[in-house]
Amino acid sequence: MGVILATSRSFSDGDADLVARAAAAGHEIVRGPAHHDLDELAPLLAAADAWIAGTGPVTAAHLDAGPGLKIVARYGVGTEAVDLAAAADRGIPVTNTPGANADAVADHAVGLMLAALRFIPDGDRRVRHGDWSVRRGRELGAATVGIVGFGRIGQGVAKRLSGFGPRVVAADPYLSVDRIVELGAEPVELDELFRTADLITLHAPGGQRLIDAQRLDSIRTGSIVVNTARPDLVDEAALAAALIDGRLAAYAADTLDGDTAASASPLLADDLAERVIVTPHLGAQTTQAVDNMGSMSLDDVLAVLAGRAPAHPVTR
């Protein structure tokens, strides 16, 4: 029997019983902490044959603590928290789950757009305190929406926006102009997107800084930024300053720097509550996405443990 360490909070928490599937294949699922604290994980890694890893770090030290690891299956898409070089040096394949949560995150991105444009969370707070005054919002169909990163999620956002009717522009260095047009958006350079969009939605990989103080100086006054991708794409202090001085009308995000430990973020200041919307990293948390991510990661684990190649390898 093999031991599969699962450190994603939502693994097998949907409709699919992945624990039973693993058991039917002769393997045991063992749970570990999602934050990947090495002191807590070390004894679990020591006994593990495979690791279905959440969003926490996967470092060389983690891999050294698991000498029997045959695969690290990232539960999700991003792999910036995984030391891919260290895994390759140790002969441990790394996989992810591309597209598994694309529909869920695209839905959530559009939801955050509407929430920010129409002051929905703030309106709810006001009513609960007896304040029925109205803040006048803007319609999504009247906006120019800039999509930064036009992969599966960005394309899903464009598809959903087509029913609202805004102008949709997109910047992606990995896609040709013709391909972006074919997929339903107007191709633009990144700098032009920030200069012209009323609403900017981020769907780029982490490990880069797309919005800082300098870039915020170039955006249209009163713009809205939505981030359902990664917190390191933005400078949170610069965003807070732009919200305070009015350059930015609102910021809506599914995560902040530090993720669920982000209590010190300047964006959570009380005086920004009317202009900042934050959800607790729930963009991918639908039953369908949880089942997709869990099934894809487990499929790759079972393949490797059976001596087969995984379907979704990640390379450096």
Side-chain angles (χ1 to χ4, degrees):
M1 174 181 285
V3 174
I4 302 171
L5 174 62
T7 56
S8 168
R9 288 173 292 180
S10 61
F11 177 79
S12 196
D13 195 30
D15 289 338
D17 189 345
L18 303 178
V19 174
R21 272 192 55 203
H27 305 293
E28 176 189 8
I29 299 289
V30 174
R31 302 285 185 166
H35 51 67
H36 293 186
D37 179 80
L38 186 54
D39 289 338
E40 292 185 46
L41 272 185
L44 300 175
L45 286 167
D49 298 287
W51 183 7
I52 297 177
T55 56
V58 178
T59 67
H62 286 86
L63 299 176
D64 288 340
L69 283 174
K70 299 175 180 64
I71 177 175
V72 173
R74 167 74 177 88
Y75 180 91
V77 179
T79 56
E80 61 269 16
V82 181
D83 190 333
L84 297 176
D89 289 344
R90 290 158 178 76
I92 301 172
V94 175
T95 63
N96 66 349
T97 59
N101 59 14
D103 284 339
V105 178
D107 283 354
H108 194 59
V110 175
L112 288 175
M113 292 178 197
L114 291 168
L117 283 166
R118 301 303 302 273
F119 310 113
I120 292 172
D122 182 56
D124 177 80
R125 285 191 295 267
R126 287 169 182 265
V127 167
R128 292 176 188 277
H129 288 88
D131 180 358
W132 287 78
S133 61
V134 173
R135 297 178 68 192
R136 182 172 296 164
R138 292 180 283 170
E139 295 179 15
L140 185 50
T144 294
V145 179
I147 302 177
V148 181
F150 209 48
R152 290 180 178 89
I153 297 172
Q155 292 165 30
V157 169
K159 181 178 179 181
R160 286 155 176 78
L161 290 176
S162 65
F164 291 91
R167 177 191 178 201
V168 178
V169 300
D172 192 311
Y174 301 105
L175 293 179
S176 69
V177 167
D178 290 343
R179 183 59 176 155
I180 291 175
V181 171
E182 181 183 341
L183 292 168
E186 178 184 335
V188 295
E189 294 295 327
L190 188 60
D191 287 340
E192 182 183 353
L193 183 149
F194 280 101
R195 286 194 300 268
T196 60
D198 304 296
L199 196 157
I200 298 157
T201 182
L202 305 180
H203 303 287
Q208 57 183 323
R209 183 57 56 84
L210 293 176
I211 297 182
D212 55 16
Q214 181 176 358
R215 179 146 271 154
L216 285 166
D217 284 338
S218 71
I219 66 170
R220 298 186 66 175
T221 299
S223 296
I224 292 170
V225 174
V226 172
N227 183 6
T228 55
R230 293 289 185 268
D232 63 349
L233 295 176
V234 304
D235 180 331
E236 293 185 356
L239 281 171
L243 288 161
I244 290 169
D245 67 25
R247 283 173 294 158
L248 200 63
Y251 181 67
D254 190 38
T255 184
L256 296 175
D257 186 26
D259 200 20
T260 53
S263 59
S265 172
L267 293 168
L268 294 178
D270 290 343
D271 61 347
L272 291 179
E274 292 185 356
R275 285 162 285 175
V276 174
I277 302 167
V278 182
T279 52
H281 211 154
L282 55 75
Q285 293 300 316
T286 65
T287 299
Q288 293 75 24
V290 164
D291 283 345
N292 289 341
M293 290 186 291
S295 295
M296 290 172 70
S297 57
L298 182 59
D299 285 346
D300 279 337
V301 164
L302 296 180
V304 170
L305 294 182
R308 303 190 306 274
H312 308 100
V314 175
T315 57
R316 283 185 282 173

